Amino acid sequence: MLFNSLEFLLFFPAVTLLYFAIPARWRHIWLLAASYYFYMCWSPKYALLMLFSTVVTWRGGRVIARADALPEGKRRTRFRKGALIASVTANLAVLTVFKYLTFILENISRAAGLVGLSFTVPAIGLLLPVGISFYTFQALGYTIDVYRGDIDAEPDILRYALFVSFFPQLVTGPIERSGSLLRQLRAEQSFDGARVRAGLVRMGWGFFMKMVVADRLAWFVDTVYNAPEGQAGSAVALATLFFMFQVYCDFGGYSNIAIGAAQVMGVKLMENFPRPFLSRSFRDYWSRNHVSLSTWFRDYLYFPLGGSRKGKARMVLNTMIVFVVSGLWHGAAWHFVFWGAVHGVCIAAGRLTLPCRKKLRAALHIPEDGALHRAVSWFLTFIMLAGTYVLFRANSMHDIVTLFHAMFCDFRLSALAGEKLYAYGLDRMDMLAALISLAVLIAVDLLAERGDLLGRLERKPLPIRWAVYLLLIFSILIFGVYGPEYNAAAFIYFAF
Amino acid sequence: MEKKKTSVLRGILRTAAFALLFAFLFHAVSTVLADKRFRDSMAAFYAEPRNSVEVLLMGSSRVHNGISAAQLEEEFGIRANNFSQDGQVLPVTWYALREALRYQKPKVVVLDVYKVIQDSLIDSPASLHRTTDNMSVGLPRVEMIYDLLPKGERAEFLFNIITYHTRWKELTAVDFAPADVSGKGDEILEGTYQPYEGFAVVPESVTASGAECELRYLDKIVELCEKEGIELLLVSVPFTTAEDDDLSRQEVLNGMAEYAREKGLPYINMMHMTEELGFDFSTDMADMYHLNAEGMRKVTDWLGRYLQQNYGL
């Protein structure tokens, strides 16, 4: 079930109303049933994979907890490690089969071809299960948390199953931490009008980002990126700019809907996209972009690898490992690996050059918080990020070369002049709507950067609040991309 | 405790007020955005004083463009309304008739049976919109949507903003103006269409059966009219065909004579009355299947006299 579907518009109020109407002790079972229904609307049989992941990680957690009760010694360590390794291996094996097997076999075939051997990749025909990367990572995070002793193993499998399948964040995150979400799922949530209102507004803003901004920009982006040969560099540049906002609004929109929906039910999910394009460095970007994933990699991969504690060379290596894996997490294709590697290089280079840059700033008497430094660092970061988005969106490594060649060797601004601008999938009125909605998005982000925007709205007089609510709802209803002319576009991150 | 109760009550009242305001705006915005092609003609029906219409014209575009309710009233003093729409198949007509009978109690329903050639519950989503978009909110409309459409396709008919919201790009002053209810629901087509050389009327004796799905709903219409004491007059106005008429339209409409006989209903197949009507296929068609203004005038002129003579109107 997509968030931007009529089914969800019926499903969500029904689930929420009943959630508050039934006794607290039944609520987690109700939410669990609703979450599995939500997932099974897409594919009933693939819910078994989620169930498998749930049972394996829950059981792993229980075994670790039982081992913890044993006296210190080899047996205890063996049990603990065994449970951890079994849980991680089983989950990653499922993920590998369903997400990476074709990619691996294709590369084996290519490598075999290089040494003169012939190997035909068999047709596997497995559909990538929606949200598998998200719930697998969330479940693995739980096992590792229990292993580390950060949390106690959850005794109730139903409550744990809800932690893995909680429908607001099931298919596209945020990837929650067990310490936060499990605790909240245990607590009794009461109905709070102000909280429900804030959650609904948050959901509305998420729908605006997805349906009004992202899905409209997608027309332009797809036109250019799906036929890169012969495109002018100016068109590629504009498509890339639009793609940056498309991804942000697609994934950020989903996150806002997820966070808002959970908030309605009294569950606070972590912020996932706090305005990534206001970043002033790549490090800053990864603290604002897909925060739940980047902190997952930090906590469960980068730190265990040693982080930056083992010298500069290890820091660089660890950073590269994390970002290459992150690239692979985003998709089983080399251009994602390349994209991850470029981010790794930029982060590592940023850290290595930090002392030099500090010295340079001091020598030039440029204060770190000065307007000039802020503007220049933001601009440079934004431009470099734009380059990485080309890697992210391009359909192949060959297309990456074509697209960069167009931007650097065949810019042709005339390709966007006058009426030609409207030949890329957005007619004049849609282009106007796209630009106005982008302006609204940027204005809201700038206001939100200065503090709690929803809180400020809540303190406004009733007529102003209602006007904002209605404006938001009708902007989506009128300018949103939906209905029989278009299929409700799936969220980009569903495929991850 | 008292304070909490007041707070809850205030919350409920505010939510209800917001819902009302939203519903009002939702209706207004949906109305502005909706396609206006059949708005005026259907609004003209709802503007008729209750139980004032004597003859109701029902069916597809071929009645909408082929018989003039305005001419019936002006020339024959028969109070009529044309409640037909483009592409209206008989299952849709069945619900449209039920809707019409909520407001009017006509003596005669003149029903175009042309669509018995087409074995489908709806002609196309667009044609169904022409009917549902402009119907009042009531049981027939909701029943029609649930009966004729599969599960995943109903929402856009219940809430037509789903279909029409993209019209924000093409809105004009007409979209904001109130409906023009000065007409009687007719639409007059201009222009002249020449049928292909060698076009001929198929003899009445050459027949074929109508589509099962259409006849099933026609049966329901017949039963409803009987029950309500309404005279049902089946008609088919003249039309031409393509040279390779794969639907055997003329044969099927010839075959309707047998159906009418079985049901004891009058059936006027005007394909075989061109001399009586003074109808000329080379001057009175607007396109292959629809009459132009002159064709409409001739057909209505004949029908007006027929109605006067046979129904005492």
Side-chain angles (χ1 to χ4, degrees):
Chain A
M1 190 186 300
L2 290 169
F3 278 168
N4 53 335
S5 66
L6 278 165
E7 289 80 9
F8 185 74
L9 281 186
L10 298 173
F11 169 84
F12 181 67
V15 169
T16 310
L17 287 173
L18 211 59
Y19 171 75
F20 285 115
I22 60 179
R25 66 177 183 282
W26 297 112
R27 284 182 184 166
H28 68 289
I29 296 169
W30 167 241
L31 276 187
L32 176 63
S35 296
Y36 266 78
Y37 173 78
F38 178 86
Y39 193 80
M40 287 163 75
C41 282
W42 172 73
S43 168
K45 64 180 178 193
Y46 278 0
L48 291 172
L49 286 179
M50 186 163 69
L51 186 63
F52 172 79
S53 180
T54 302
V55 172
V56 167
T57 47
W58 179 77
R59 192 70 203 146
R62 298 294 294 163
V63 172
I64 292 169
R66 272 218 301 275
D68 283 341
L70 296 171
E72 287 279 355
K74 276 187 183 171
R75 189 160 172 262
R76 179 176 185 268
T77 310
R78 202 170 59 235
F79 266 112
R80 281 168 47 77
K81 278 199 174 159
L84 176 71
I85 291 167
S87 179
V88 171
T89 309
N91 277 280
L92 290 184
V94 172
L95 188 62
T96 304
V97 168
F98 280 87
K99 189 167 176 177
Y100 300 106
L101 192 57
T102 304
F103 177 65
I104 291 167
L105 293 175
E106 278 172 358
N107 283 291
I108 290 173
S109 169
R110 254 181 241 154
L114 288 177
V115 293
L117 296 171
S118 173
F119 169 64
T120 310
V121 178
I124 294 168
L126 285 175
L127 210 61
L128 178 66
V130 165
I132 189 169
S133 308
F134 291 91
Y135 70 70
T136 301
F137 269 43
Q138 186 158 309
L140 284 180
Y142 162 82
T143 311
I144 299 169
D145 286 342
V146 174
Y147 179 79
R148 286 174 177 170
D150 292 342
I151 59 160
D152 292 330
E154 171 60 45
D156 181 350
I157 190 168
L158 294 180
R159 201 179 302 279
Y160 178 72
L162 174 60
F163 160 74
V164 177
S165 66
F166 186 46
F167 77 85
Q169 43 88 244
L170 169 58
V171 288
T172 314
I175 304 166
E176 273 299 323
R177 295 305 130 80
S178 53
S180 165
L181 185 54
L182 264 175
R183 180 181 47 76
Q184 294 187 75
L185 294 176
R186 280 187 209 114
E188 188 178 326
Q189 309 294 348
S190 57
F191 186 89
D192 176 347
R195 189 195 67 220
V196 168
R197 221 163 31 240
L200 291 175
V201 174
R202 185 89 188 238
M203 290 176 79
W205 180 241
F207 282 117
F208 179 91
M209 289 174 77
K210 166 67 179 163
M211 294 165 71
V212 179
V213 187
D215 288 351
R216 182 168 274 105
L217 293 179
W219 298 338
F220 193 101
V221 175
D222 290 349
T223 303
V224 174
Y225 269 85
N226 290 345
E229 298 292 340
Q231 294 287 0
S234 54
V236 175
L238 186 57
T240 305
L241 179 70
F242 280 178
F243 179 61
M244 293 171 80
F245 283 97
Q246 184 201 342
V247 175
Y248 166 45
C249 289
D250 192 283
F251 201 3
Y254 187 99
S255 287
N256 274 326
I257 300 167
I259 293 167
Q263 191 174 353
V264 168
M265 289 180 279
V267 174
K268 187 170 165 48
L269 301 181
M270 72 167 77
E271 289 297 327
N272 213 15
F273 284 85
R275 302 163 292 284
F277 297 134
L278 295 179
S279 309
R280 287 165 47 209
S281 68
F282 270 65
R283 205 171 164 193
D284 188 17
Y285 173 73
W286 281 108
S287 68
R288 291 168 173 271
N289 187 68
H290 206 176
V291 178
S292 66
L293 180 73
S294 57
T295 52
W296 195 99
F297 277 124
R298 182 196 64 197
D299 295 343
Y300 301 115
L301 186 60
Y302 183 69
F303 287 165
L305 285 171
S308 57
R309 296 190 308 274
K310 296 186 176 177
K312 284 180 184 169
R314 275 300 294 270
M315 181 278 288
V316 172
L317 179 66
N318 294 341
T319 304
M320 291 306 294
I321 290 171
V322 164
F323 278 94
V324 166
V325 173
S326 172
L328 268 175
W329 182 93
H330 281 85
W334 283 112
H335 68 100
F336 283 121
V337 177
F338 188 34
W339 168 82
V342 169
H343 271 273
V345 167
C346 291
I347 295 262
R351 290 192 74 159
L352 291 174
T353 59
L354 189 61
C356 306
R357 285 184 287 130
K358 270 188 177 169
K359 277 182 195 162
L360 187 66
R361 269 202 308 274
L364 295 172
H365 303 291
I366 299 172
E368 190 173 353
D369 274 339
L372 178 68
H373 180 253
R374 283 213 307 264
V376 170
S377 58
W378 170 80
F379 181 74
L380 290 177
T381 305
F382 190 83
I383 292 293
M384 287 169 70
L385 278 173
T388 67
Y389 275 82
V390 176
L391 313 181
F392 195 84
R393 176 60 182 84
N395 292 326
S396 66
M397 293 295 283
H398 175 265
D399 282 2
I400 290 173
V401 176
T402 307
L403 292 159
F404 275 110
H405 179 268
M407 279 197 283
F408 288 108
C409 305
D410 185 20
F411 196 74
R412 273 190 289 139
L413 198 55
S414 60
L416 299 178
E419 293 297 314
K420 289 180 191 163
L421 178 63
Y422 311 124
Y424 296 91
L426 289 178
D427 62 25
R428 181 188 293 271
M429 296 300 277
D430 274 314
M431 179 62 81
L432 190 65
L435 295 177
I436 290 173
S437 60
L438 272 177
V440 170
L441 174 85
I442 292 166
V444 167
D445 271 5
L446 289 172
L447 284 171
E449 187 72 2
R450 289 166 54 187
D452 176 19
L453 194 57
L454 276 175
R456 271 184 276 165
L457 177 64
E458 188 63 24
R459 289 190 289 276
K460 297 284 182 203
L462 186 88
I464 292 178
R465 274 189 282 138
W466 282 20
V468 172
Y469 301 158
L470 290 169
L471 202 61
L472 184 58
I473 294 169
F474 282 102
S475 298
I476 299 163
L477 286 174
I478 297 169
F479 302 112
V481 176
Y482 65 98
E485 275 192 57
Y486 318 100
N487 290 324
F491 286 86
I492 289 175
Y493 270 62
F494 268 25
F496 296 157
Chain B
M1 192 66 183
E2 195 58 37
K3 204 174 169 184
K4 196 181 172 189
K5 266 189 187 170
T6 315
S7 164
V8 169
L9 190 66
R10 198 174 57 190
I12 292 170
L13 284 175
R14 276 187 180 178
T15 307
F18 184 81
L20 270 178
L21 182 60
F22 170 77
F24 170 76
L25 289 172
F26 184 81
H27 178 71
V29 169
S30 299
T31 304
V32 168
L33 288 169
D35 181 67
K36 304 295 184 297
R37 170 92 164 75
F38 277 83
R39 178 190 63 172
D40 292 352
S41 65
M42 285 189 75
F45 169 81
Y46 290 109
E48 298 277 8
R50 273 197 180 240
N51 299 327
S52 65
V53 171
E54 295 172 301
V55 172
L56 195 58
L57 309 175
M58 302 286 304
S60 71
S61 58
R62 290 167 20 74
V63 168
H64 197 62
N65 312 126
I67 302 175
S68 168
Q71 190 183 338
L72 286 175
E73 189 157 326
E74 281 162 23
E75 291 182 13
F76 301 95
I78 299 169
R79 289 193 61 88
N81 188 282
N82 197 331
F83 199 52
S84 56
Q85 287 95 35
D86 284 6
Q88 196 179 85
V89 287
L90 288 158
V92 179
T93 308
W94 149 248
Y95 288 103
L97 178 61
R98 282 181 51 200
E99 167 73 358
L101 297 186
R102 293 171 67 205
Y103 298 87
Q104 299 294 338
K105 184 80 196 277
K107 285 181 183 160
V108 183
V109 167
V110 177
L111 178 66
D112 160 42
V113 292
Y114 176 78
K115 283 292 185 178
V116 288
I117 56 165
Q118 188 174 337
D119 195 11
S120 58
L121 288 171
I122 65 165
D123 178 275
S124 66
S127 69
L128 185 62
H129 268 294
R130 287 168 196 144
T131 305
T132 58
D133 289 348
N134 302 292
M135 277 169 83
S136 68
V137 178
L139 205 54
R141 180 171 177 269
V142 177
E143 273 186 49
M144 183 198 304
I145 291 166
Y146 274 83
D147 180 25
L148 305 184
L149 291 161
K151 196 179 166 195
E153 294 170 23
R154 292 170 187 151
E156 65 167 290
F157 293 90
L158 289 170
F159 307 104
N160 64 16
I161 194 171
I162 294 172
T163 301
Y164 295 125
H165 71 283
T166 53
R167 286 195 70 247
W168 66 268
K169 290 190 271 188
E170 55 195 62
L171 293 179
T172 64
V174 173
D175 292 295
F176 296 90
D180 174 7
V181 294
S182 59
K184 288 285 174 185
D186 313 325
E187 185 188 46
I188 298 168
L189 297 181
E190 300 299 338
T192 306
Y193 170 82
Q194 289 291 331
Y196 69 89
E197 201 175 318
F199 166 75
V201 173
V202 174
E204 273 183 288
S205 56
V206 182
T207 63
S209 308
E212 186 277 327
C213 166
E214 305 302 304
L215 291 176
R216 190 158 30 97
Y217 280 88
L218 182 54
D219 287 347
K220 290 185 175 198
I221 293 171
V222 173
E223 279 171 32
L224 179 64
C225 287
E226 263 177 23
K227 189 179 149 207
E228 296 290 328
I230 297 166
E231 301 280 356
L232 182 61
L233 172 60
L234 308 182
V235 298
S236 175
V237 302
F239 62 97
T240 64
T241 59
E243 215 164 341
D244 57 341
D245 178 20
D246 56 349
L247 291 172
S248 310
R249 294 159 209 257
Q250 291 198 57
E251 288 90 327
V252 173
L253 287 159
N254 284 343
M256 284 306 293
E258 179 57 31
Y259 176 89
R261 260 194 303 278
E262 278 174 18
K263 299 284 178 187
L265 295 170
Y267 172 50
I268 301 167
N269 185 351
M270 295 183 180
M271 288 299 282
H272 306 291
M273 299 168 56
T274 46
E275 273 190 37
E276 222 176 317
L277 295 169
F279 193 89
D280 184 344
F281 284 106
S282 63
T283 59
D284 298 338
M285 299 299 297
D287 56 41
M288 195 178 288
Y289 303 121
H290 302 101
L291 308 187
N292 62 17
E294 185 56 12
M296 186 188 218
R297 188 194 63 72
K298 288 176 180 174
V299 164
T300 309
D301 186 52
W302 186 92
L303 188 71
R305 278 183 277 121
Y306 179 88
L307 288 168
Q308 280 187 328
Q309 286 162 11
N310 291 280
Y311 297 98
L313 296 166

